[in-house]
Amino acid sequence: MIDFFLNAYKNTPVIDIILEAIVFITGILSVYFAKKENIWVYPTGIIATVITVYLLYKAGYFADMTLNIYFSVMSIYGWINWSRKKEDDYVVKISRTNTKQKIIGVLLFFLTIVVTYLVYHLFGKEIKPENYIDIFTSGLFFTGMWYMAMKKIENWTLWIIADIIAVPLYAYRGLGMLSLQYVIFTILAILAYIEWRKILNSSPQIKSE
């Protein structure tokens, strides 16, 4: 197992290894802060996604790269939205999606699949079998990030599914640290879902907005 992770980095530039390590740390911190409903989810997340855009561009994984550009932009929106206050109380509370938001989420999922598919053609890249998995998880992550910005508990369900898929995908690509990171993401997302659900159960008046 150790050899599997180390061999993938034999010919990798030192700077890229350092950058991937930074992504590993800040990415985990971001999910941890999200679990705690802490605003630091966004600055740490922005650091992780911006660096990831560069690493994925170099590796030629354009669907994931496009997704992380979106993450960076959505993180700015989420940061602003989570920071909104009214009479010293935060406006955005943890809640469940309503019917309209569920429909929008489904539309975002399919729209993301179409856009990421077109991105590969835009860059003139062959779409390999694993890239279709990329495209599918991009839809899950895209919608999950939007739900996260609005503090909808359903974001964790989408993260859990996509994280589980991403673990073997990144391992297959030789990105060991990112694969391990998604293992940790999966565990944190499960714990976060449980924690957010407890908050909802103790505040029934904000179950949906």
Side-chain angles (χ1 to χ4, degrees), residues 43-131:
T44 51
I46 290 171
I47 294 172
T49 54
V50 169
I51 296 175
T52 301
V53 167
Y54 165 75
L55 293 174
L56 292 172
Y57 175 78
K58 285 192 66 177
Y61 302 130
F62 298 110
D64 279 358
M65 180 197 74
T66 303
L67 183 65
N68 276 274
I69 292 174
Y70 162 76
F71 279 174
S72 301
V73 174
M74 186 55 70
S75 290
I76 296 173
Y77 166 73
W79 195 346
I80 294 171
N81 202 35
W82 280 35
S83 299
R84 289 192 297 127
K85 283 186 175 183
K86 185 177 182 180
E87 297 178 355
D88 294 325
D89 188 25
Y90 288 107
V91 174
V92 181
K93 307 287 187 181
I94 293 174
S95 60
R96 298 188 187 279
T97 55
N98 56 35
T99 301
K100 179 182 177 181
Q101 291 160 344
K102 284 184 172 68
I103 293 172
I104 293 174
V106 171
L107 293 175
L108 279 176
F109 171 76
F110 286 108
L111 178 62
T112 304
I113 287 177
V114 172
V115 171
T116 48
Y117 179 83
L118 293 175
V119 166
Y120 275 100
H121 286 283
L122 178 65
F123 282 92
K125 294 291 183 178
E126 176 190 0
I127 302 180
K128 300 176 182 178
E130 66 267 23
N131 296 136

Side-chain angles (χ1 to χ4, degrees), residues 125-143:
K125 294 291 183 178
E126 176 190 0
I127 302 180
K128 300 176 182 178
E130 66 267 23
N131 296 136
Y132 286 104
I133 301 175
D134 257 352
I135 293 169
F136 176 76
T137 55
S138 293
L140 294 176
F141 283 132
F142 192 103
T143 309

Side-chain angles (χ1 to χ4, degrees), residues 166-185:
V167 172
L169 180 63
Y170 281 109
Y172 170 78
R173 290 169 167 174
L175 297 171
M177 271 194 280
L178 285 179
S179 179
L180 178 60
Q181 184 185 50
Y182 277 97
V183 171
I184 299 172
F185 280 173

Side-chain angles (χ1 to χ4, degrees), residues 186-204:
T186 303
I187 296 170
L188 287 174
I190 293 171
L191 295 174
Y193 176 82
I194 294 171
E195 191 162 327
W196 280 34
R197 188 175 62 181
K198 288 179 180 177
I199 294 173
L200 275 177
N201 290 341
S202 64
S203 306

